[in-house]
Amino acid sequence: MSHNINALPASGQFLGMTLKVCTVHGQEFEGELFAHDVNNSETVILKEVGNAQKDHCHYHMINSKMIRTMRVEEAPPPHVPAPSGVDPKVLQARADAALQQRLASAGRWGVGVSAETQLLFDRLFKTHPDCKWEGQSIVVLGTRISPPYSPDDCSLVEGNDLRKLERIKKVLQGTKDQITRDKAKKELSGLTNGVANAPAQQPGPSNSSPGSSPLPQQGASSSAPHAGGGGNGILATPPPPPPSQAQQRGGKGEGNEGGKAGGQ
């Protein structure tokens, strides 16, 4: 029996019936009526039953305006279960839990405080989950820590339990000291990594050729022999010392004897 797909009610009572559809282009599709959108997209979705497998199946999405004929091959079962999906109540419960968690985490952020102060609050919150903000003051275990957040700035919110006050002072001072040590360690680690990653200095080219003697240093220029007037770095023997008086007298005698021998 042929039917017009748009004549089917939009309710889900016909879901599950087996239909055989022929389009205006002559294509034929057969399957269970999985979905039928009348008001918006005018789309029909058929679940193919002939090649259904264990893990997957095929779906055909057809525009109802492109359907020429439709025949009901098999009537729907007496009770068609609702399409499987996520329970809206479960989704709402998850959304509410996520919202409450977000609101709780937002209360742990101080307004108008520095990053160091926020870090101090976060460290205190790890060991004292009741830690909270009141303006720019931190309240923990019935003790208020006011700016600038030193042990001397601690005061009891109510009561006169001095032991509690002293405990919070010790915890606050220990937390601040730990933050200072962590900061110093991080800075030292950065300096060490910078030195380790610095490129090594390459040795400069040598001015001396193979087989030549090294040039004298500037500080030893007075004692090292130099070439006379050249300034070209070639080593030379030093000039002879001046003759002594005895050598001068001997030289004169030799000159006189030479002169006499020449005269003879």
Side-chain angles (χ1 to χ4, degrees):
M1 181 175 61
S2 299
H3 296 275
N4 184 359
I5 187 65
N6 293 325
L8 294 178
S11 63
Q13 60 179 337
F14 290 95
L15 293 178
M17 68 170 53
T18 302
L19 303 178
K20 188 173 183 179
V21 175
C22 182
T23 66
V24 295
H25 301 291
Q27 295 175 314
E28 292 185 356
F29 301 96
E30 184 176 351
E32 294 181 2
L33 181 60
F34 181 79
H36 178 211
D37 187 2
V38 180
N39 299 323
N40 297 322
S41 63
E42 298 182 351
T43 302
V44 176
I45 301 179
L46 297 180
K47 179 181 178 181
E48 187 175 341
V49 296
N51 298 325
Q53 298 181 8
K54 182 178 180 180
D55 297 332
H56 65 279
C57 59
H58 298 284
Y59 291 86
H60 300 286
M61 183 179 296
I62 308 170
N63 190 334
S64 61
K65 294 181 179 180
M66 304 301 293
I67 297 177
R68 177 186 297 171
T69 60
M70 180 192 68
R71 184 172 65 249
V72 177
E73 298 291 333
E74 184 179 349
H79 174 70
V80 179
S84 60
V86 180
D87 189 355
K89 295 181 180 180
V90 176
L91 292 179
Q92 187 62 40
R94 292 180 180 178
D96 294 341
L99 179 60
Q100 294 298 327
Q101 184 178 4
R102 193 65 178 176
L103 292 175
S105 62
R108 296 196 296 265
W109 289 94
V111 179
V113 299
S114 62
E116 292 79 5
T117 304
Q118 183 62 50
L119 178 59
L120 175 63
F121 179 90
D122 295 339
R123 295 288 182 90
L124 292 173
F125 184 83
K126 288 182 178 181
T127 55
H128 299 80
D130 62 332
C131 190
K132 62 180 181 179
W133 288 100
E134 284 190 1
Q136 294 186 353
S137 299
I138 302 174
V139 177
V140 53
L141 290 180
T143 305
R144 177 178 286 104
I145 308 175
S146 303
Y149 312 102
S150 66
D152 295 336
D153 301 315
C154 298
S155 61
L156 291 172
V157 177
E158 57 183 8
N160 54 357
D161 191 350
L162 298 181
R163 292 182 300 178
K164 182 187 299 185
L165 180 62
E166 292 299 324
R167 175 187 174 185
I168 294 301
K169 286 184 178 181
K170 291 181 180 180
V171 171
L172 176 62
Q173 186 61 49
T175 304
K176 293 173 70 71
D177 294 342
Q178 184 63 42
I179 293 176
T180 302
R181 288 192 296 268
D182 293 345
K183 184 177 180 181
K185 184 185 296 185
K186 185 176 181 180
E187 293 177 353
L188 180 60
S189 177
L191 293 176
T192 304
N193 294 335
V195 173
N197 296 330
Q201 295 183 356
Q202 300 294 334
S206 176
N207 294 329
S208 59
S209 59
S212 61
S213 302
L215 296 178
Q217 300 295 329
Q218 182 177 1
S221 59
S222 59
S223 59
H226 295 275
N232 54 7
I234 301 176
L235 300 179
T237 56
S244 61
Q245 295 182 358
Q247 291 177 346
Q248 292 179 358
R249 286 194 300 270
K252 290 180 179 180
E254 292 177 356
N256 293 335
E257 293 177 359
K260 292 178 181 179
Q264 293 176 355

